[in-house]
Amino acid sequence: MKKFIACLLVLMTLITAIACTKSENNPDQTSENTEGKADTTDGTSTSEEEAPPSIPDTVTGNGSKIVIQTEGWANYSPLDILDIGITEMNNDGINDAAYTRDRRIEETLDVEIEVREYGHYPESYQVLSDLVSSGDCDIDFCVMRSAIFTTAITNDLLVDLNTDDLVYFDPDKSWWDRNSYDSLSIANIHYGITGDFTTADDLTYWCVYFNKQINSDLQLENPYEIVKNGEWTYDKMFEMASKAAKDLDGIDGMTDSDQWGVSMIRDILGGALNTVGINIVEKDENDLPYLSFKSESNISKMQHLLELFYNDEYVYCFANRPAGTKDEVSIFTSGNTLFTIGGVYYGPQMRNSDTEFGMLPMPKYDSSQEYISATSPLFLSILCTPKTNKDNNELKGAFMELYSYLGSELVVPEFYDRLLKWKVASDDESREMMDYIFNNTAYDIGGLFNFGDISFLIIDMMYTKNTNIVSMWDSNEVKVQQGINDLLTALQNNS
């Protein structure tokens, strides 16, 4: 492996020298890995079409602990992980399904599940790093935020999931997202995966919420039909949004008391790029990352998106609103905007409002493109296996397979039911939209690995309404390439 990666590093040195030429002449591409999760939007798991994992009765933990470390995002409760390590029932569908799963797997494998929760990823990372460094790490699984994923790989904290030692783990099963498994690998080393182990990754998908009352009052087209007809594009959404803007408070200039067309946060820009087929970094036939952003088509698409997003007449971007004004969710829940672009994790705030809303997938660039889903490149929850002092890979492989399978059978249906009960329980079309929102996911490893802080550099353009894309990229391209080289160097040193 060390010799192989050393050769790769020589190759990457050559790539660095021609990076600009390669990215400019690279054929415009969309992600090849866009097959999303299994469709569970009808409230039942498709895993019923597959046999459950076949785990022999001889696989047993003999009463030992399985330790799972989870991490939140800046102690922000909408992104908390609420379906791992549940100790009691409370009449909440997801909680009680997760409780049932935990008790069932504890009995089946004769293990005790211990969960160590941390409110923010830096704290969790430090604990993991200290334990691995001490040689006394007892953590079996870590549900890690993507913002810290590259650092964990670089510092040799994680092990390859692609090993025969993890007996019974099968990433091709529908309760795993094989696409994520392939996308999150480097040089064919698989450090993470998403799937039905937890629904926390589903919360990080981007989507569009629309206000049904405003849409009806303006006699606009039915958004559901637009989606199903393949015409749900950014141009179409912003054309509709332009008709919704209205001065309601009589104050000169648009305020948060007026009616807007669309609200958003800066974070959605990275996801929006993915949904129109733009990837910062892609991988070659050797599973090696290379820069793929700077093509004429990508620059043109991003320029057009920014022109739409920066329209002050009807676009309410919280990143550049005056201090003390409503955020992008509050202005929607108060009934003051037709659309808001945000995360599935907005759901609890939507549920607590009086606004009747529907959920839609992210738009396409044009009608000829297929719908592409995207997640946050920073707070996606990734299942990893840390370096540990335990010799229990057979048990670990059985546990992760059963845990994800039971998640698909018990927890995921409750998750979708909850989404549909957030003010849209009687809306059959919103149920159909779930399929568009969660399937066909594009994972841009440039954003997920955050090479050279490119994820932040892109979304921070929204703060100043920067439209000089070429300048932004040219001034940071070497830094992004260096981030790739640094990761490959670390892989060589760690092997």
Side-chain angles (χ1 to χ4, degrees), residues 66-71 81 84 139-146 149 158-161 166 169 175-176 180-181 184 190-198 200-201 380-386 396-397 399-401 403-404:
I66 291 290
V67 180
I68 307 173
Q69 180 166 301
T70 67
E71 53 191 39
I81 298 174
I84 295 178
I139 299 171
D140 296 287
F141 302 102
C142 181
V143 181
M144 177 177 292
R145 299 293 174 174
S146 48
F149 184 59
L158 307 178
V159 299
D160 189 358
L161 296 175
L166 286 176
F169 167 58
W175 43 86
W176 297 111
S180 70
Y181 180 74
L184 295 170
H190 297 262
Y191 290 104
I193 191 169
T194 68
D196 297 332
F197 195 93
T198 176
D201 55 331
L380 176 67
S381 294
I382 304 170
L383 178 67
C384 310
T385 54
K396 191 181 299 182
F399 182 94
M400 63 191 296
E401 194 71 7
Y403 205 78
S404 194

Side-chain angles (χ1 to χ4, degrees), residues 68-98:
I68 307 173
Q69 180 166 301
T70 67
E71 53 191 39
W73 181 259
N75 296 293
Y76 177 58
S77 60
L79 286 171
D80 286 348
I81 298 174
L82 301 175
D83 58 1
I84 295 178
I86 306 303
T87 58
E88 60 183 21
M89 297 183 116
N90 64 4
N91 294 319
D92 174 84
I94 293 178
N95 178 91
D96 292 355

